[in-house]
Amino acid sequence: MVLFAGMTLVAAQDFPSDFLGSDFHKDRRDILRTKMPGNSVAVFFANPVRNRANDTDYLYHQDPNFYYLTGYREPHAILLMFKDNQTDDNGDSFNEIAFVQPRKTEDPTDRDSETWTGRRLGPTGFEEQLGIRPSFDNYLFEEYSIDFSKFDKVLFYDFMNDVRDTENEGDLYDLISWFKKKAGYPSGNAMEVEPIAGNLDTQTLDYFMGEMRGVKTKEELALLRKAIDISCIAQVEVMKAIKPGMSEREIQGIHEFIYRKYQAEEEGYNSIVGAGHNGCILHYIDNYKPVVEGKEMILMDLGAEYHGYTADVTRTIPIDGKFSKEEKAIYDLVYQAQEAAIKACMPGIDYRIDLDAQIARRIVNEGLADLKIIKRPDSPNSYYPHGLSHQLGLDVHDLGGSKLRPGMVITIEPGIYIPDNSPCDKKWWGIAVRIEDDLLVTENGCELLSDIAPRKSEEIEALMAKPSPFDNIVLPELESSQN
Ligand code: GLY
Ligand code: MN
Ligand code: MN
């Protein structure tokens, strides 16, 4: 008993205490159940494990819907949620059931067990810690007797056919195969089966999940605020630390070191750190430039992910701390477009129409015409080739529509990109600016969540003149690179 209490204590200390609680996930399931049509079942699968090469996998990331509904962070699991109570063989009623990774097995050849890949909840932990009952070892799903044809609707996301089979009975590949067989899923390439047969519905669940995930609860907002604060502190520290001669990779590393310092587990998407004309590549993730030059800007689009929730913040700064005349003209134009869109952001509007088309894009095009980069504001051009906004949450491009409601979190991210050889004076070539901020839609406007990181060109220049703790970090030269 004493030993057990001690072990529990060690386990608690091994783990952050601010994850979403099981009540949050239960509430989400209850709300989804109210949306589900009569006599229906919703089926969710954990994300696949992604192989990097040979016997090395990428860090596991749970499917956001599965995480939202359960809090489970392990692979090889299936969750079934029923609209109406079901009765088991003992006459007990239940409205959800899960099949999850088994705990450590006695099989000495089992190289995927807890000894090799970490602690697992198992069905008992799943029931006790996440509150989803009944739960079983995943390999038992094969024998689980369920007649899917008795439901008016079987709701699930269609399959991407990108799951590897492993030697473990009950892995995700098996769970999907068994589900397809039990549910009468048509054979052949799923994405080509249109419309899908009988009571199988692969469309509606995404709509329900979007309605829910689009509006954040206070528990989700606490995590999102943390992810955004961490990302902004990293932008601020990089503004002070950056110097000509650094590499794109080193600058990426300072951001990501700060993320880890504040316990963010991951980046919500691959970090984009592009100096000079590399900034014109919208999702430039190579970050290979070995030496960034004083006479160029660097576009840094990064987001810390904290307990599943990701920020998405971009700052574009002059590497030597001072914007050139042309850089400042473009920068201030993007800022002006962003500021106008932020001021107009409120519930009831549509960000695609009201913020992007009617405000930001109009300001950018008028400004480009004033600077004689294009002939007239309505001249066709591709200097702002992406949308202004998207939802933010468990996914960087999160679920939920473009019509704003209180509780939504969105980005506002205008940009201007002038690649080399563009049809304008070459003094503009290679200039790329994106300013991206994260906003919470409130009852009568919006709250700028990413205001820790300055956006105005003068404020950025003032901050960049300040010393940085990274100034004092001197590491030895690599002897191996001198040969
Ligand atoms: N970082 C991806 C985006 O801004 O949408
Ligand atoms: Mn974005
Ligand atoms: Mn971004």
Side-chain angles (χ1 to χ4, degrees):
M1 194 62 195
V2 172
L3 180 63
F4 180 74
M7 285 168 67
T8 308
L9 192 63
V10 169
Q13 284 170 346
D14 275 352
F15 214 66
S17 56
D18 58 342
F19 276 99
L20 293 167
S22 58
D23 286 355
F24 166 86
H25 302 292
K26 179 178 183 314
D27 283 350
R28 302 294 98 197
R29 296 195 302 280
D30 287 346
I31 294 171
L32 176 59
R33 210 170 268 111
T34 65
K35 293 177 183 290
M36 288 165 58
N39 190 32
S40 64
V41 54
V43 184
F44 293 89
F45 293 86
N47 241 3
V49 173
R50 303 281 179 203
N51 182 256
R52 185 167 186 267
N54 191 15
D55 56 356
T56 300
D57 295 328
Y58 286 102
L59 189 63
Y60 184 68
H61 187 75
Q62 186 56 279
D63 171 74
N65 285 329
F66 204 92
Y67 184 69
Y68 187 76
L69 295 169
T70 65
Y72 192 55
R73 294 193 303 278
E74 298 176 29
H76 306 301
I78 179 173
L79 168 73
L80 289 86
M81 289 180 48
F82 303 96
K83 172 77 175 181
D84 311 301
N85 280 348
Q86 310 292 302
T87 309
D88 69 14
D89 294 344
N90 301 324
D92 294 328
S93 84
F94 63 101
N95 62 7
E96 50 200 17
I97 185 169
F99 296 83
V100 304
Q101 282 202 121
R103 293 211 55 198
K104 186 175 172 62
T105 69
E106 298 308 317
D107 179 355
T109 65
D110 173 12
R111 292 191 119 221
D112 279 334
S113 78
E114 291 184 281
T115 310
W116 287 85
T117 54
R119 297 187 190 96
R120 297 176 177 181
L121 285 183
T124 309
F126 200 84
E127 289 189 358
E128 288 174 358
Q129 294 185 36
L130 306 181
I132 299 172
R133 306 187 171 77
S135 299
F136 300 98
D137 285 339
N138 50 16
Y139 54 83
L140 295 174
F141 183 58
E142 184 176 23
E143 296 155 24
Y144 175 56
S145 162
I146 178 167
D147 176 8
F148 280 109
S149 71
K150 76 175 188 186
F151 296 99
D152 290 341
K153 288 273 181 208
V154 179
L155 308 162
F156 60 103
Y157 279 82
D158 210 349
F159 302 103
M160 306 299 283
N161 298 331
D162 58 353
V163 179
R164 284 189 180 191
D165 197 6
T166 71
E167 57 197 18
N168 291 335
E169 189 78 354
D171 64 13
L172 182 64
Y173 185 93
D174 295 334
L175 294 174
I176 291 173
S177 307
W178 296 331
F179 167 75
K180 285 182 171 178
K181 200 162 157 208
K182 290 174 196 289
Y185 185 91
S187 59
N189 186 341
M191 305 308 282
E192 290 166 11
V193 178
E194 200 61 66
I196 203 155
N199 61 352
L200 304 186
D201 178 339
T202 58
Q203 306 298 314
T204 312
L205 213 41
D206 193 52
Y207 175 72
F208 293 153
M209 295 309 296
E211 275 193 327
M212 295 169 66
R213 282 177 49 192
V215 176
K216 271 63 186 179
T217 68
K218 66 176 190 318
E219 296 93 335
E220 292 180 285
L221 279 175
L223 298 178
L224 259 173
R225 282 180 192 276
K226 197 152 185 177
I228 294 165
D229 283 354
I230 294 169
S231 308
C232 290
I233 289 171
Q235 293 280 4
V236 166
E237 292 304 322
V238 168
M239 286 183 197
K240 293 190 284 177
I242 201 164
K243 288 182 186 41
M246 285 179 164
S247 67
E248 289 175 342
R249 184 86 57 214
E250 181 180 1
I251 295 159
Q252 171 187 357
I254 299 174
H255 283 274
E256 293 175 5
F257 165 75
I258 293 168
Y259 293 1
R260 298 298 185 277
K261 183 81 182 156
Y262 289 99
Q263 304 290 325
E265 294 93 332
E266 287 187 70
E267 296 78 52
Y269 52 94
N270 291 319
S271 300
I272 298 164
V273 179
H277 64 171
N278 288 338
C280 295
I281 302 166
L282 302 179
H283 286 175
Y284 171 81
I285 56 172
D286 287 349
N287 306 348
Y288 254 125
K289 189 169 183 177
V291 178
V292 301
E293 311 284 346
K295 289 281 146 239
E296 55 190 11
M297 289 191 292
I298 188 161
L299 187 156
M300 305 178 296
D301 179 346
L302 307 96
E305 184 179 297
Y306 190 82
H307 296 2
Y309 288 82
T310 186
D312 186 8
V313 179
T314 308
R315 291 293 180 266
T316 309
I317 62 174
I319 289 161
D320 64 2
K322 185 96 187 98
F323 289 97
S324 72
K325 191 166 152 239
E326 286 75 25
E327 288 167 354
K328 187 167 160 53
I330 299 297
Y331 187 93
D332 288 348
L333 176 55
V334 176
Y335 174 83
Q336 196 194 335
Q338 192 203 30
E339 191 60 10
I342 290 173
K343 288 216 162 78
C345 178
M346 64 180 70
I349 64 162
D350 187 305
Y351 63 63
R352 285 186 216 280
I353 301 163
D354 302 302
L355 299 186
D356 194 357
Q358 292 186 4
I359 296 179
R361 213 161 286 272
R362 188 179 50 73
I363 291 174
V364 164
N365 283 329
E366 283 170 3
L368 289 174
D370 287 347
L371 294 169
K372 309 210 175 339
I373 293 171
I374 56 177
K375 282 209 173 77
R376 292 184 315 273
D378 59 355
S379 303
N381 72 84
S382 53
Y383 294 125
Y384 172 17
H386 57 75
L388 180 74
S389 298
H390 55 79
Q391 301 266 353
L392 193 62
L394 285 169
D395 279 306
V396 63
H397 297 152
D398 211 33
L399 302 186
S402 53
K403 186 102 190 278
L404 296 184
R405 286 180 283 158
M408 287 183 161
V409 176
I410 63 162
T411 66
I412 294 194
E413 49 175 309
I416 297 176
Y417 313 84
I418 312 179
D420 295 341
N421 302 314
S422 293
C424 61
D425 191 317
K426 67 179 182 192
K427 69 182 179 182
W428 303 109
W429 291 359
I431 293 182
V433 174
R434 174 158 72 252
I435 314 175
E436 176 170 27
D437 283 86
D438 303 338
L439 296 102
L440 169 65
V441 181
T442 59
E443 290 297 331
N444 39 30
C446 66
E447 178 189 343
L448 181 59
L449 300 176
S450 45
D451 60 347
I452 294 178
R455 292 183 293 132
K456 282 194 181 143
S457 50
E458 302 79 27
E459 288 173 2
I460 289 173
E461 287 178 342
L463 182 61
M464 290 184 75
K466 296 201 167 151
S468 154
F470 290 92
D471 294 343
N472 301 321
I473 296 178
V474 181
L475 298 176
E477 290 274 318
L478 273 188
E479 281 183 26
S480 46
S481 58
Q482 287 165 4
N483 299 325

